[in-house]
Amino acid sequence: MFTSTLFPFLYLTLELPKRIINDAIGAQSSSITVLGVEFTQLGFLALLCAAFLLSVLLHGLLKMRINTMKGILSERMLRRLRYSLISRMLRFPKTYFRRTSQGELVAMITGETEPMGGMMGDALTQPVLQAGQMITILVFLFLQSVWFGLAAVALIPLQAWLIPKLQRRINLMNKERIKEVRQLAAMIGESAAGAGELRIHGGWRHRLSAISHRLGIVFNIRFQIYQKKFFMKFINNFITQLTPFFFFSVGGYLVIQGAVSLGALVAALAAYKDLSSPWKELLTFYNQAQDMSLRWETVTEKFSPSGVIDEVLMTGRPEVLPHLDGAIEMNDVTVTDADGNAVLENITARFASGSMVAVTAPSVEDRQALSDLLTREVMPASGTITVGDTALKNLHQSVIAARIGHASARPVLFRGSLEDNVMMSLRSRPTGTLPQDAQHAAQEAAAAGNSSDPLNAEWLDPDLAGLEQTGELRGWWQSLLEAMGSEETLYLRALDQKLDSDEKINLVAGLVEVRPRVWEAVVAAGLDRHVYRFDPERYNPALPVTSNLFFATMRRPLSQQELAAQTDLFDLMRKLGLEEGLLDLSRDVIDLLNQIFGTDGTEHPLFRKLGLDPELFERSVQLLRARGQGDAQTWSDADKVLLMTVPAQISAEQIGPAFSDTMQERILELRKANGLKVQDELRALYVPLRPDRIAPGLTVLENALYGKIADTAGGRADELRKIVSEVLDTAELRSSVTELIYDLPLALGGADLPAAFVEPLSISRAAVKRPDILILDNVLRGTEALERAAAARNLRRLLPDATLIHLGEAFEDVDDFDDHIEIRQGRMVSEEQTGVIADDSAASADLLRKLRALETTPMFSALNRKQLRLLAFGARWFSASAGDIIFHKNDMPTDGAYMILSGEAQLFHPEEGRGETQVAMVGPGSLVGELGVIRNEPRALTMRAKTEVEALRLGAEEFLAVVQNDAATSFKLLQVVAGYTSQRSG
């Protein structure tokens, strides 16, 4: 409706020029009467010109407003689309992400949808706006003369039919061009990887010929595209210019004959010129719509997997979250993978409410499937799961999130702090009133169909954890850490946290007070030589040049790039006469680092530890190569600053001998002369080092020591850490220090989190909400049996009413649990699967028999289901009577390896004239001949059946594929080989 207000003003911009020419300029008298009002000719001309100017202004303003609203609509629709895709993605089954690239989904949500946003805005306004403008112009032309109108529309149908047809052909050729360019890219990649081989073997001319041929194909396609493209433009321009030909010829004739006025012809020509723009826009819109339809099909196909959680189960939140305090019952549950193959088969079990259950499942696939099943990340293909009287499939996701906890050894972590990740389950909805400044953002989000929940509201809900105050959550969390035996590890790690003087007032005061006692303990232990204390009379090798110069530390760590932006700092160093020495030092250091790491080794952990920016380091290397050993005074200030950031960022201890004693003495002299005086000038960046205050840029450990531990301390560093921790514990600062770990920042995916923290974080994230059901998937496997048992008892003590389900490869003593089941290769061990094979086809029955035979052997019991099927498919049944030779010494291992299922066989050395020497006796579950297959060497022994032998002969190709692709099998095979070696050495 708003768009339609534009058209009257558009009509006026066409009509008024005609009136100006005919009625004002071409008036036959000096006075003109309009609607009873008399105007002079000049006055009427001025009035019409003012009306024309006003019409143009209003037309432009309305068009600007329409385009602005269209842009807002486009962005809102794009925001809505992306939000819808992301929210839908969060409802995908977990199994979908295991077989789909995350990068592909990210690219679709960000890249593929970008052009769709503009199209969404155009879809509503563009047809109306452009078609409306066309109709307005055509109406004006028909009102001037029917012939003008017919001339304007005569060739439009031809353009509407011909141009899209030619454009479709060009689009097809562009697709062909993209396909060829991809093949060219693959050929270029191959050539780059094998450049040395091409030179050595003389294949570069043939390779260049092949590349030339491929470039020729791309050239020919592009040539054809250019021909068709510019032919299409020629046709379009010719048709467009053909209409003015009719206007000039027919219109001129009508003007000469007096049928129309000259003003009408001029206005018609101007109107037709304006007609081409909306017509081109409509054609472009048509082409974009065709392209977007293909994109839309691609996106919708990718975002429509099977097994998506019902949107109703994730929308909103029930007023009351019921407790899941009933028994868990699984009745004849079967879970299948994406290919329809069974992962869990006919699982029937009952776990009493509040019991502690052990589930032995050697296969990762089995444990993963059962975890997903109990958390409803996967729906059973058949069978039912109930908790009490409630079917798990009908529960709202908020209930599952609040009442079921799941911890694994490899949790997914999110960027933020450690506390953000642990308290995730307690942030299910915002609480409190909406802040005034967030209301506008919430309204805009709602208009775009996004979540209107304010991000900066209070989200923590202690009630979910059975607590009243938010402040009690950290104490509860610390209890969980103590229960798992992880509190000491986190406490020691918290000593490495940076401290802010504006926070933790008690800790700050306590650290300053405890410093003398810490140092006394260090001296008493004879470890003082491993600490560089902060002494205003001495140079500290563990601090950077700038910190030594000003005897101060940075308020917060600055990257090399941020440091380079501190021009005042380097101006001051130049004023103090340090520039020349620092530039010489920079040359030596950069040259040394370039020798060690090069410009392609900047991702090495040792380089990252220096804190240097890889891009700036590369620029520094290039700068020194270009300038050589020339006079540094001729360099630009920016180049000098870039080089000086290196010694300003890293310490003399890291630089090594390149940092001379002379330079250290020079910096000490400048500190005494000027360094302490300029501390006030740099207060925004640096904090002076004083024994009665903490240094915010340093860790708790460094603040307690009032110094830095030397890199050469080695194992003594752990002793120093232990001494400091004991003194702080005695001073009752342990709790305050440990709380710092909650603010530990995590990078994307928790990449920088030490492995020792991952499992405690995973367990505490699952248990902090006091769930009714807690699933512990193979956690704490790296600890001793007694520690695991203690952790299990402590968790039971803290969660006395919860149903605790422990999943693991094996358990030392299942009598510690209330219930125990065992699952192997997707089936409960106690369950005899009789009568199943008879219902299958002969081929399926044979494959199933092989699978069950293989999965009972220790070597392949934990093998991935897909790998096991591959191995079984290539396996063949084999039988031998007592005394039969299965293979001879020096035979090539073309028949593969043998998995003994029943009977016994002898492995021996045949010796001519001296009989034979028995090496080993093998029985059920033994794998024989695998080393010959792996090494592709003749058999080392002869194998003879001692009794009737039943075996599976494993094909060499299939066996090697399993060894290469399954780490668990490779490791077990390595253990077998190690056993052979130890037997021989023994």
Side-chain angles (χ1 to χ4, degrees), residues 126 130 134 156 158-165 167 232 236 240 276-290:
Q126 199 76 335
Q130 304 303 336
M134 277 191 68
I156 287 178
L158 176 62
Q159 285 179 296
W161 170 78
L162 182 61
I163 301 303
K165 190 173 182 179
Q167 185 64 50
M232 181 185 72
N236 193 37
T240 302
S276 62
S277 178
W279 174 233
K280 286 181 179 178
E281 291 289 342
L282 284 174
L283 289 176
T284 303
F285 173 77
Y286 170 80
N287 290 330
Q288 288 177 342
Q290 295 297 311

Side-chain angles (χ1 to χ4, degrees), residues 144-355:
Q144 309 313 305
S145 169
V146 175
W147 296 108
F148 287 170
L150 291 175
V153 301
L155 297 176
I156 287 178
L158 176 62
Q159 285 179 296
W161 170 78
L162 182 61
I163 301 303
K165 190 173 182 179
L166 292 173
Q167 185 64 50
R168 278 195 294 272
R169 291 185 179 180
I170 293 173
N171 291 342
L172 289 174
M173 298 194 72
N174 269 321
K175 289 182 179 179
E176 187 67 24
R177 177 185 62 82
I178 292 171
K179 190 186 301 182
E180 292 295 334
V181 168
R182 285 175 180 167
Q183 293 185 11
L184 175 64
M187 187 176 286
I188 293 171
E190 275 186 330
S191 302
E197 299 295 318
L198 291 172
R199 290 193 297 269
I200 293 169
H201 301 295
W204 71 86
R205 288 191 63 177
H206 183 269
R207 191 68 176 181
L208 288 173
S209 176
I211 291 175
S212 177
H213 174 70
R214 184 67 62 187
L215 288 170
I217 294 174
V218 175
F219 170 79
N220 289 332
I221 293 173
R222 293 187 73 94
F223 180 68
Q224 292 179 51
I225 290 173
Y226 285 136
Q227 284 185 312
K228 293 183 182 296
K229 180 179 178 180
F230 291 114
F231 174 73
M232 181 185 72
K233 287 191 173 184
F234 162 73
I235 292 295
N236 193 37
N237 290 334
F238 178 75
I239 294 173
T240 302
Q241 296 302 321
L242 194 58
T243 303
F245 164 76
F246 290 123
F247 274 110
F248 285 123
S249 56
V250 178
Y253 172 78
L254 293 174
V255 169
I256 292 172
Q257 294 296 318
V260 295
S261 65
L262 178 61
L265 176 60
V266 172
L269 286 168
Y272 179 74
K273 184 179 178 182
D274 291 338
L275 181 67
S276 62
S277 178
W279 174 233
K280 286 181 179 178
E281 291 289 342
L282 284 174
L283 289 176
T284 303
F285 173 77
Y286 170 80
N287 290 330
Q288 288 177 342
Q290 295 297 311
D291 181 47
M292 289 304 110
S293 65
L294 294 174
R295 287 176 183 264
W296 179 253
E297 288 176 9
T298 303
V299 171
T300 51
E301 180 182 353
K302 199 67 182 176
F303 280 78
S304 302
S306 59
V308 176
I309 299 173
D310 191 345
E311 187 176 5
V312 175
L313 298 178
M314 289 191 67
T315 303
R317 183 178 185 268
E319 288 297 323
V320 178
L321 298 175
H323 281 277
L324 303 179
D325 48 11
I328 303 171
E329 294 191 31
M330 293 182 283
N331 297 310
D332 203 25
V333 172
T334 295
V335 176
T336 57
D337 60 17
D339 301 320
N341 298 308
V343 179
L344 295 178
E345 293 184 67
N346 308 115
I347 302 295
T348 298
R350 185 181 188 276
F351 305 145
S353 175
S355 62

Side-chain angles (χ1 to χ4, degrees), residues 702-760:
E702 291 164 347
N703 269 290
L705 289 169
Y706 193 59
K708 279 179 167 283
I709 298 176
D711 281 348
T712 56
R716 301 300 184 190
D718 292 332
E719 294 181 33
L720 284 165
R721 186 183 298 273
K722 185 178 180 182
I723 288 171
V724 173
S725 68
E726 289 173 352
V727 174
L728 294 181
D729 196 3
T730 305
E732 299 183 351
L733 294 175
R734 184 188 188 95
S735 178
S736 299
V737 172
T738 304
E739 282 192 9
L740 294 175
I741 203 68
Y742 304 147
D743 300 321
L744 178 70
L746 298 187
L748 189 65
D752 54 351
L753 186 67
F757 295 176
V758 174
E759 285 191 358

Side-chain angles (χ1 to χ4, degrees), residues 129 339 359 371 472 491 563 591 668 752 806:
L129 178 62
D339 301 320
V359 179
S371 296
E472 297 176 280
Y491 168 55
L563 193 62
D591 183 59
L668 280 176
D752 54 351
H806 296 257

Side-chain angles (χ1 to χ4, degrees), residues 322-589:
H323 281 277
L324 303 179
D325 48 11
I328 303 171
E329 294 191 31
M330 293 182 283
N331 297 310
D332 203 25
V333 172
T334 295
V335 176
T336 57
D337 60 17
D339 301 320
N341 298 308
V343 179
L344 295 178
E345 293 184 67
N346 308 115
I347 302 295
T348 298
R350 185 181 188 276
F351 305 145
S353 175
S355 62
M356 194 158 70
V357 182
V359 179
T360 301
S363 169
V364 175
E365 197 173 4
D366 289 343
R367 295 196 301 273
Q368 199 170 63
L370 189 59
S371 296
D372 291 347
L373 192 65
L374 293 174
T375 54
R376 208 184 62 187
E377 284 301 309
V378 65
M379 297 297 289
S382 63
T384 59
I385 307 174
T386 57
V387 182
D389 298 327
T390 307
L392 190 66
K393 67 178 182 179
N394 296 329
L395 287 174
H396 194 279
Q397 191 65 36
S398 297
V399 178
I400 292 177
R403 305 307 182 199
I404 300 179
H406 173 258
S408 68
R410 300 176 65 184
V412 176
L413 303 177
F414 298 86
R415 182 183 293 170
S417 69
L418 199 67
E419 185 177 35
D420 291 337
N421 278 272
V422 171
M423 299 297 179
M424 181 185 298
S425 57
L426 303 181
R427 291 189 169 101
S428 59
R429 63 175 177 179
T431 58
T433 58
L434 189 66
Q436 186 68 29
D437 58 350
Q439 290 184 6
H440 175 72
Q443 291 171 357
E444 181 60 36
N450 287 197
S451 168
S452 58
D453 293 336
L455 183 62
N456 57 351
E458 179 56 56
W459 283 79
L460 271 180
D461 185 3
D463 185 58
L464 287 174
L467 302 172
E468 295 182 0
Q469 302 293 329
T470 304
E472 297 176 280
L473 286 172
R474 286 192 171 183
W476 165 235
W477 182 11
Q478 199 156 342
S479 299
L480 289 171
L481 294 176
E482 290 172 359
M484 290 177 282
S486 306
E487 197 269 344
E488 181 68 20
T489 304
L490 293 173
Y491 168 55
L492 293 176
R493 177 62 178 81
L495 294 175
D496 295 326
Q497 284 293 98
K498 297 285 195 301
L499 198 60
D500 190 338
S501 59
D502 297 330
E503 300 176 0
K504 317 292 183 189
I505 303 299
N506 294 335
L507 178 58
V508 167
L511 279 175
V512 172
E513 184 180 344
V514 85
R515 275 175 179 170
R517 279 182 279 164
V518 169
W519 190 244
E520 286 174 10
V522 169
V523 172
L527 299 174
D528 51 307
R529 70 179 187 277
H530 299 294
V531 179
Y532 293 124
R533 287 274 281 179
F534 301 135
D535 186 343
E537 301 299 323
R538 300 176 64 184
Y539 190 93
N540 194 308
L543 289 176
V545 169
T546 50
S547 292
N548 270 288
L549 177 61
F550 309 126
F551 197 62
T553 60
M554 286 188 174
R555 289 187 177 274
R556 65 177 182 86
L558 293 181
S559 67
Q560 190 181 1
Q561 201 145 12
E562 290 174 313
L563 193 62
Q566 307 298 324
T567 54
D568 292 343
L569 171 64
F570 291 101
D571 286 343
L572 181 61
M573 295 172 78
R574 189 178 296 116
K575 189 189 303 181
L576 294 173
L578 280 174
E579 183 178 83
E580 185 177 352
L582 286 178
L583 286 175
D584 291 339
L585 178 61
S586 298
R587 282 174 169 163
D588 294 340
V589 172

Side-chain angles (χ1 to χ4, degrees), residues 647-830:
Q649 186 79 0
I650 59 181
S651 65
E653 190 178 34
Q654 292 172 313
I655 293 172
F659 199 98
S660 65
D661 293 338
T662 305
M663 175 61 76
Q664 293 184 23
E665 292 170 3
R666 170 68 174 150
I667 292 171
L668 280 176
E669 290 173 5
L670 289 170
R671 178 201 290 177
K672 294 174 182 177
N674 301 296
L676 299 177
K677 297 177 184 177
V678 298
Q679 284 181 348
D680 288 340
E681 297 181 37
L682 300 172
R683 190 169 295 277
L685 281 177
Y686 288 88
V687 178
L689 285 167
R690 292 175 50 178
D692 59 342
R693 291 185 184 178
I694 68 152
L698 301 179
T699 65
V700 174
L701 179 66
E702 291 164 347
N703 269 290
L705 289 169
Y706 193 59
K708 279 179 167 283
I709 298 176
D711 281 348
T712 56
R716 301 300 184 190
D718 292 332
E719 294 181 33
L720 284 165
R721 186 183 298 273
K722 185 178 180 182
I723 288 171
V724 173
S725 68
E726 289 173 352
V727 174
L728 294 181
D729 196 3
T730 305
E732 299 183 351
L733 294 175
R734 184 188 188 95
S735 178
S736 299
V737 172
T738 304
E739 282 192 9
L740 294 175
I741 203 68
Y742 304 147
D743 300 321
L744 178 70
L746 298 187
L748 189 65
D752 54 351
L753 186 67
F757 295 176
V758 174
E759 285 191 358
L761 186 153
S762 179
I763 296 173
S764 55
R765 180 166 67 180
V768 73
K769 58 190 175 184
R770 296 184 193 268
D772 297 323
I773 302 169
L774 179 59
I775 302 162
L776 301 168
D777 184 2
N778 207 41
V779 293
L780 302 177
R781 292 290 105 184
T783 57
E784 296 294 330
L786 291 176
E787 293 177 359
R788 285 199 298 274
R793 288 194 300 271
N794 289 334
L795 282 174
R796 165 52 74 209
R797 175 176 53 80
L798 293 174
L799 302 170
D801 300 322
T803 303
L804 303 181
I805 302 174
H806 296 257
L807 308 179
E809 296 178 10
F811 293 91
E812 290 80 8
D813 190 356
V814 295
D815 293 335
D816 292 339
F817 299 89
D818 301 317
D819 200 356
H820 172 250
I821 65 171
E822 186 173 359
I823 298 176
R824 288 186 180 274
Q825 293 301 322
R827 291 183 297 277
M828 292 180 65
V829 170
S830 59

